Amino acid sequence: MSFPLQPHLRIFQTPADYHNIQESKLSFGSEASDSCKKCVTAQVHRTIMQCPYKVDAMKRALESLNLNIVEMTDENATLDGGDVLFTGREFFVGLSRRTNQRGAEILADTFKDYAVSTVPVYGTLHLKSFCSMAGPNLIAIGSTEAAQKALKTMQQMSDHRYDKLTVPDDAAANCIYLNIPGKGHVLLHKAPEEYPESAKVFEKLKDHMLIPIASTELEKVDGLLTCCSVLINKTSEL
């Protein structure tokens, strides 16, 4: 089902099952403008907690958008979307409990036009448990030792210099950035009542429209904001 949210933003819903997004993870490769992804290929991943019918539901949704689908069929490879950070220039892939080196290699083979670097993840579930893109060239990052160590690795692996936005709470660093025509920079972030100190940091982004989102229930099942949606820049005739 789809319905218009804004003139240039449309929502497509998968069946009403949270895990269709959380476990049937995806990554997208694209030509990017202001870190907004113009997706030309979608890769359906195998995760350690994979359920076939959930992968199938996501695959059908993507096929309805006429995307090029690449399925990861290697039994030895695991790759979870929560470990895939696309900056608009390159991919960083977290090596975690749910993503291994073989999964990262298949991602790199799928998106040959982009650099793919691996980042060891310790003490948390995913790479994006403590980081995400908060704007063009801007990485939101948590303050823990694990988060800062991962950021240092990304900085060492990349030829590009990114700006960083450091927040006190790792979970609050998981946010969703959109560049919407007519609206400009839009950022969905954790609500102030949940992470008040981190919310104060986001409020410094004067060029962004800030939309706080309550996500306490999601966190009970290790869910974060980026777990619940896939952003695709497509033409309006959808």
Side-chain angles (χ1 to χ4, degrees):
M1 180 175 67
S2 67
F3 55 91
L5 183 63
Q6 292 288 350
H8 298 278
L9 182 63
R10 189 178 294 269
I11 294 177
F12 291 80
Q13 294 180 318
T14 58
D17 181 346
Y18 162 75
H19 294 283
N20 280 331
I21 298 291
Q22 174 65 12
E23 293 180 7
S24 303
K25 292 291 191 171
L26 306 155
S27 72
F28 287 88
S30 67
E31 297 176 3
S33 174
D34 292 337
S35 279
C36 185
K37 303 170 190 174
K38 180 179 180 181
C39 301
V40 294
T41 298
Q43 182 174 13
V44 182
H45 297 168
R46 171 185 302 277
T47 70
I48 292 175
M49 298 178 66
Q50 174 181 293
C51 294
Y53 80 89
K54 296 166 184 175
V55 173
D56 290 342
M58 181 56 66
K59 181 182 176 182
R60 288 193 299 271
L62 294 170
E63 287 175 337
S64 72
L65 299 177
N66 297 316
L67 293 176
N68 178 31
I69 309 297
V70 178
E71 294 192 61
M72 195 174 76
T73 58
D74 189 328
E75 295 293 332
N76 297 315
T78 59
L79 185 64
D80 193 298
D83 284 313
V84 180
L85 179 67
F86 180 59
T87 70
R89 294 175 176 270
E90 61 191 312
F91 287 97
F92 293 109
V93 179
L95 300 181
S96 69
R97 286 176 284 171
R98 293 189 179 179
T99 296
N100 63 18
Q101 182 66 37
R102 181 58 185 143
E105 291 170 356
I106 293 175
L107 180 75
D109 189 57
T110 302
F111 302 108
K112 296 180 183 295
D113 292 337
Y114 294 93
V116 176
S117 302
T118 56
V119 182
V121 174
Y122 302 105
T124 191
L125 189 61
H126 299 305
L127 176 65
K128 288 194 285 193
S129 294
F130 51 61
C131 71
S132 61
M133 297 306 295
N137 203 55
L138 179 62
I139 297 177
I141 187 74
S143 296
T144 63
E145 181 180 354
Q148 291 298 310
K149 190 172 183 177
L151 176 64
K152 184 177 181 180
T153 299
M154 289 189 282
Q155 290 172 330
Q156 292 172 341
M157 297 295 290
S158 178
D159 293 331
H160 181 71
R161 183 177 180 84
Y162 295 97
D163 297 324
K164 65 176 181 178
L165 182 73
T166 304
V167 296
D169 308 285
D170 278 9
N174 183 273
C175 54
I176 299 175
Y177 168 75
L178 307 97
N179 185 5
I180 302 177
K183 295 293 183 181
H185 304 301
V186 178
L187 190 69
L188 282 63
H189 65 90
K190 298 296 183 71
E193 56 266 28
E194 296 173 346
Y195 297 100
E197 296 305 312
S198 292
K200 292 177 183 178
V201 176
F202 286 118
E203 289 170 1
K204 297 177 182 179
L205 299 174
K206 301 302 182 183
D207 294 334
H208 287 53
M209 175 189 294
L210 301 177
I211 302 177
I213 303 292
S215 59
T216 302
E217 295 304 310
L218 282 175
E219 292 188 18
K220 292 178 181 178
V221 289
D222 294 321
L224 296 170
L225 296 180
T226 58
C227 296
C228 301
S229 63
V230 175
L231 304 181
I232 305 170
N233 188 6
K234 292 278 286 183
T235 54
S236 59
E237 62 262 19
L238 289 175

